[in-house]
Amino acid sequence: MTMLTVLVVLSIVGSCSCNKAYIQIVDYIPQNKTGKMDPALVLTDQSPDNPYNMLRKNITFDLFNIDYAKSSELFEVNASTFEVTLERHKPGMVTYRHKVDTIQLDTDESAIVVVDEDPKIANVLQSFACVTGPLENPGLDKAVVQICPDKVFVKNNLRVLGTYQMCKGCKENLDMNAKVVRDVVQFKINDTNSKWTLKVQYNSGGSYSTVCETIDKSFGDGGIYTIVIKKSELGSVGGEVNYQCDIVSTKSPSNFWRPIWLPIILILIIILIIIVIRIVLKSFPLLRERVYNLLGIQHNSDEENGEPKKSSRLQSLDTFRGIAITTMIFVNYGGGKYYFMEHAAWDGLAVADFVFPWFMFMVGVSIVFSVQSQLKRNVPKTKILKKVVIRFLKLFFIGVFLNTAVQGGVHVDQIRIPGVLQRIGFTFFVCAILEILFIPLLTNVESYISLIFHTWPQWILMALFSGIWAAVVFALPVPGCPKGYLGPGGIADGGEYPNCTGGATGYIDRLIWNNNIYRHPTCKEMFKTTQYFDPEGILGSLMAILTVYSGVIAGHVIQLNKSSRSGILIRLVVLSVVSLVIGIILCKGRFTGGWIPINKNLWSPSFVFITSGSSYGILAILYLLIDSQHLITGCPFSAMGKNPLFIYIGSYILYNYFPFNFYTEQSHGMLMFQAIVGTISWMFVALYLDYKKKYYKI
């Protein structure tokens, strides 16, 4: 095989760009059969002379250096009728010329020209061409595949079956709905984030047989690919003709990663610069004094000595809460439409799956700080309980109200009852009641052993909630479904349980709420489900109490170790490791499947432990950087964390308003830009409110 070099002799005699067409060559001429005779493909324009044509009438493509079974780039030619001739050259002369085809190209159309040698007659060249029609834009995270078959195939008798590798356990060999477009058979890859197994089949006598198969093939975002089907060089075996299939790139895909790694690198550089500046200013007091005076910044003398500010408010808590709400807004604005920024279709984890449990974890931390603060002020527990009930009702009804924001107006009998704020309100209510009833003023608690004597009713209730979840999920009979089913239904599990979405979890919600639940679950597109399923349903909310209680535990750790920074860090790290290990054991260390799979829709125990483990770890890191070592301030995330529900509700209500959202080109780069602009806009709102000391609570 030889290196790819394509020499095109162009003579530009005009500047009209409305007469373009395109040619791509796929070469199957092995080097060891050509010797010193250079093969070439000649296109002769059959149209009358036209001074506005871009290219001269004869265009020669040197094929000698094109790799075997590889293709050239797309080359611009005139939209015209071309005679295709194959030649062999020696220095100064043509030793072989053979006309093989005639192709007609209209404006913006393209043609794939396949060049080969006759397997039976040495040094005799042969070719066939496929006109593909105009090259369409496949769309975001999609690709177009076109089949250019040997002329012996009747194109209407070809079909393509595809297996979507990301859809674990789904039905295999689904019809790709291929259609004939000019001389090719064309179909679309609907998700380029997954590998695909494709089978090309041909109906030659009443039944389909497989011509070729590609296994675990990756396709790029926005790419156009061509599958060339030609007679194999192995010839016939037992009287049956063998064919080979090769996939070549006709239009290169877009750079999938560039729009995301550029802002990530920028953010990391900014964070690094801030940390370096903080270290330098901390190490050189005179320089710090001059910089602060120059900028007119007032600074706390305690900070100069490396001591924390004399404030009971930990900035790391606001910062973590702000990171959660910022990430939530970013993914709600699309996150650049990257699949890993969205929710996992069913089992597994993506960025969006972390933000809600992170926020709920911080709700648990806040419960401890709020209750302890009121107990210190001798606020009666009955008054604290009253505030908890009122806040729960506010969150619940605001959440239901936000659920009525449906385009075209909501049907009253279909208003969704469960929701994000409703789950926050419910879990807050339960954990706050438990904290008020059983936990005394922690300044009077001498050790963790003493704390256990107060918290044991809470632990028993957490175990009870987990037991109820397990009993219902694994033992409740669900019509038409196996006991303990945890799958998405639809085409999952070979399509055996199409109406079992979520098993007992979904069944209970549909039984109690009827039509008043979420209608577009994350599993709908991938698994072709038809059943409604609410990710904030009843059983999931029961397990979500454990997520909030994980935050309560973190709050206890911080409150009992206020005088020991290292004590807080060590205990948070231990809690992080223990939670992660338990979660990994439950899912058997698998991203999907296991004894109890990681599943945000079900809010499974493994999901609770893994997300809580990440919460403990992140909180430990932020506490170290912000409240312990004072390397960063947490801004602007700390400002977002001081008005989290106001920012969240505002982003929900003003979702379609500029500058928070606006229409842009449907590409990862532009959608990433739009999501960043919308998120930063809310950061400015939070910073302004923090500057004005305006904090809104529900």
Side-chain angles (χ1 to χ4, degrees):
M1 290 195 286
T2 62
M3 298 298 293
L4 172 62
T5 59
V6 181
L7 304 176
V8 184
V9 181
L10 303 178
S11 177
I12 303 178
V13 296
S15 59
C16 178
S17 61
C18 59
N19 199 31
K20 290 181 181 179
Y22 304 91
I23 293 286
Q24 183 179 31
I25 303 167
V26 183
D27 184 18
Y28 285 96
I29 304 176
Q31 181 183 6
N32 61 4
K33 292 184 180 180
T34 61
K36 297 181 180 180
M37 297 183 296
D38 293 355
L41 181 143
V42 178
L43 298 178
T44 303
D45 192 340
Q46 300 295 297
S47 64
D49 291 336
N50 185 345
Y52 295 104
N53 279 346
M54 296 182 297
L55 308 173
R56 69 185 187 183
K57 292 176 71 70
N58 288 335
I59 309 166
T60 301
F61 296 89
D62 185 1
L63 305 178
F64 182 68
N65 294 319
I66 299 180
D67 284 343
Y68 177 81
K70 301 295 182 182
S71 66
S72 68
E73 301 290 334
L74 281 173
F75 292 100
E76 289 186 8
V77 296
N78 301 320
S80 182
T81 300
F82 291 91
E83 180 184 273
V84 182
T85 303
L86 296 173
E87 298 179 349
R88 286 191 185 277
H89 295 172
K90 279 187 177 181
M93 62 181 296
V94 177
T95 61
Y96 171 90
R97 179 180 286 121
H98 175 52
K99 176 185 174 183
V100 293
D101 210 343
T102 299
I103 55 176
Q104 181 178 345
L105 293 174
D106 293 331
T107 301
D108 293 330
E109 287 190 332
S110 61
I112 309 297
V113 180
V114 181
V115 183
D116 195 5
E117 284 188 334
D118 193 318
K120 297 179 180 179
I121 307 175
N123 295 325
V124 174
L125 302 179
Q126 60 186 15
S127 172
F128 64 90
C130 301
V131 177
T132 67
L135 299 178
E136 65 172 288
N137 181 10
L140 196 67
D141 289 336
K142 293 178 172 56
V144 168
V145 182
Q146 50 197 14
I147 301 174
C148 177
D150 190 291
K151 291 189 179 296
V152 299
F153 290 95
V154 178
K155 297 174 183 63
N156 284 318
N157 288 355
L158 284 167
R159 74 173 181 183
V160 182
L161 304 179
T163 300
Y164 185 35
Q165 301 296 354
M166 191 178 284
C167 189
K168 300 296 183 183
C170 291
K171 282 184 178 179
E172 298 182 353
N173 300 322
L174 298 175
D175 194 336
M176 299 298 288
N177 298 315
K179 60 181 180 180
V180 177
V181 179
R182 291 295 298 268
D183 297 332
V184 297
V185 178
Q186 192 177 94
F187 61 95
K188 185 171 283 190
I189 299 294
N190 288 321
D191 189 353
T192 55
N193 298 311
S194 171
K195 292 183 177 181
W196 289 77
T197 294
L198 301 175
K199 286 183 180 179
V200 181
Q201 295 187 328
Y202 185 66
N203 187 345
S204 58
S207 62
Y208 282 96
S209 59
T210 299
V211 178
C212 56
E213 181 176 7
T214 63
I215 300 175
D216 291 343
K217 171 65 179 176
S218 296
F219 298 92
D221 172 35
I224 298 178
Y225 300 84
T226 300
I227 299 177
V228 176
I229 304 179
K230 62 173 285 293
K231 292 179 182 178
S232 171
E233 292 187 354
L234 299 176
S236 302
V237 178
E240 183 177 344
V241 179
N242 288 324
Y243 292 92
Q244 69 181 75
C245 297
D246 297 289
I247 300 181
V248 298
S249 175
T250 297
K251 177 189 173 186
S252 298
S254 62
N255 191 316
F256 182 79
W257 293 105
R258 182 181 298 164
I260 193 167
W261 63 252
L262 285 177
I264 287 176
I265 290 176
L266 180 62
I267 291 171
L268 292 177
I269 290 174
I270 292 173
I271 292 174
L272 181 61
I273 291 173
I274 291 173
I275 291 176
V276 170
I277 291 174
R278 298 276 296 182
I279 292 174
V280 170
L281 292 179
K282 187 176 180 180
S283 303
F284 300 96
L286 292 178
L287 176 62
R288 179 179 63 239
E289 187 73 25
R290 290 180 181 178
V291 171
Y292 282 4
N293 290 337
L294 181 64
L295 298 177
I297 298 175
Q298 295 182 352
H299 54 286
N300 192 298
S301 59
D302 291 331
E303 288 185 85
E304 296 180 5
N305 300 320
E307 298 297 329
K309 291 183 180 180
K310 294 178 180 180
S311 171
S312 60
R313 192 176 189 96
L314 293 177
Q315 292 299 311
S316 56
L317 303 183
D318 289 329
T319 302
F320 189 15
R321 193 184 299 110
I323 289 173
I325 200 69
T326 301
T327 310
M328 187 180 293
I329 290 172
F330 178 72
V331 297
N332 285 347
Y333 282 140
K337 295 296 183 184
Y338 283 97
Y339 72 95
F340 48 81
M341 288 290 183
E342 300 174 350
H343 291 289
W346 195 249
D347 290 350
L349 283 172
V351 172
D353 295 317
F354 283 97
V355 293
F356 195 15
W358 284 350
F359 188 83
M360 297 183 71
F361 177 90
M362 291 309 300
V363 169
V365 177
S366 299
I367 287 172
V368 176
F369 277 72
S370 175
V371 172
Q372 289 298 309
S373 173
Q374 293 179 80
L375 290 177
K376 285 180 182 178
R377 301 197 308 270
N378 295 317
V379 178
K381 286 191 174 183
T382 53
K383 190 172 182 179
I384 303 175
L385 284 169
K386 181 180 178 181
K387 290 181 179 179
V388 168
V389 172
I390 292 173
R391 192 178 193 207
F392 160 62
L393 293 175
K394 285 181 179 178
L395 287 169
F396 184 87
F397 287 109
I398 290 174
V400 174
F401 171 74
L402 293 180
N403 285 347
T404 64
V406 178
Q407 189 174 6
V410 67
H411 292 274
V412 177
D413 61 338
Q414 296 178 3
I415 294 176
R416 182 189 175 200
I417 303 300
V420 171
L421 292 182
Q422 295 91 312
R423 173 167 286 183
I424 293 173
F426 170 71
T427 54
F428 161 79
F429 174 78
V430 174
C431 289
I433 294 295
L434 295 177
E435 190 71 6
I436 294 167
L437 292 179
F438 299 111
I439 305 300
L441 189 63
L442 290 176
T443 54
N444 299 328
V445 177
E446 297 179 357
S447 65
Y448 285 100
I449 295 177
S450 301
L451 182 61
I452 291 174
F453 287 103
H454 297 286
T455 58
W456 68 264
Q458 296 179 344
W459 287 95
I460 290 177
L461 283 172
M462 295 305 123
L464 179 62
F465 294 151
S466 301
I468 293 172
W469 182 89
V472 174
V473 166
F474 292 108
L476 180 70
V478 179
C481 307
K483 280 188 178 181
Y485 182 72
L486 299 174
I491 63 172
D493 306 294
E496 292 185 30
Y497 315 113
N499 299 318
C500 295
T501 303
T505 303
Y507 175 70
I508 286 177
D509 287 334
R510 290 189 291 271
L511 195 66
I512 294 176
W513 301 121
N514 196 12
N515 290 328
N516 302 100
I517 60 175
Y518 195 55
R519 294 166 177 261
H520 306 284
T522 56
C523 59
K524 185 173 183 177
E525 183 174 348
M526 178 181 291
F527 297 100
K528 314 300 180 189
T529 59
T530 57
Q531 294 290 310
Y532 299 156
F533 182 86
D534 203 304
E536 278 77 51
I538 294 172
L539 283 180
S541 294
L542 199 64
M543 288 304 299
I545 295 173
L546 273 68
T547 299
V548 176
Y549 189 71
S550 298
V552 170
I553 295 172
H556 291 161
V557 167
I558 296 170
Q559 286 283 337
L560 285 176
N561 289 270
K562 281 187 174 181
S563 60
S564 174
R565 297 175 183 173
S566 60
I568 292 175
L569 286 172
I570 291 171
R571 286 167 175 80
L572 288 176
V573 170
V574 169
L575 286 168
S576 176
V577 172
V578 171
S579 294
L580 290 172
V581 168
I582 294 173
I584 290 170
I585 290 173
L586 289 175
C587 67
K588 297 173 70 173
R590 299 176 184 174
F591 196 66
T592 59
W595 287 307
I596 300 179
I598 307 168
N599 193 297
K600 188 260 181 188
N601 284 286
L602 301 175
W603 213 275
S604 62
S606 56
F607 176 79
V608 170
F609 281 106
I610 286 177
T611 54
S612 295
S614 69
S615 299
Y616 287 123
I618 293 171
L619 183 56
I621 293 170
L622 293 175
Y623 180 81
L624 174 67
L625 295 176
I626 299 172
D627 294 309
S628 178
Q629 299 301 314
H630 307 290
L631 295 178
I632 58 176
T633 64
C635 186
F637 298 109
S638 57
M640 294 283 282
K642 292 174 183 177
N643 272 302
L645 291 177
F646 176 85
I647 297 296
Y648 171 75
I649 294 171
S651 68
Y652 198 98
I653 295 173
L654 301 179
Y655 180 84
N656 291 315
Y657 290 86
F658 183 84
F660 308 111
N661 207 344
F662 50 88
Y663 177 79
T664 185
E665 173 191 335
Q666 296 298 294
S667 67
H668 285 298
M670 292 306 299
L671 290 169
M672 175 65 73
F673 172 74
Q674 181 265 334
I676 291 174
V677 169
T679 305
I680 290 176
S681 298
W682 281 109
M683 279 188 171
F684 279 118
V685 173
L687 288 168
Y688 175 78
L689 292 174
D690 189 35
Y691 174 75
K692 291 291 187 178
K693 307 297 180 185
K694 293 184 179 295
Y695 306 114
Y696 299 98
K697 297 182 179 180
I698 296 176

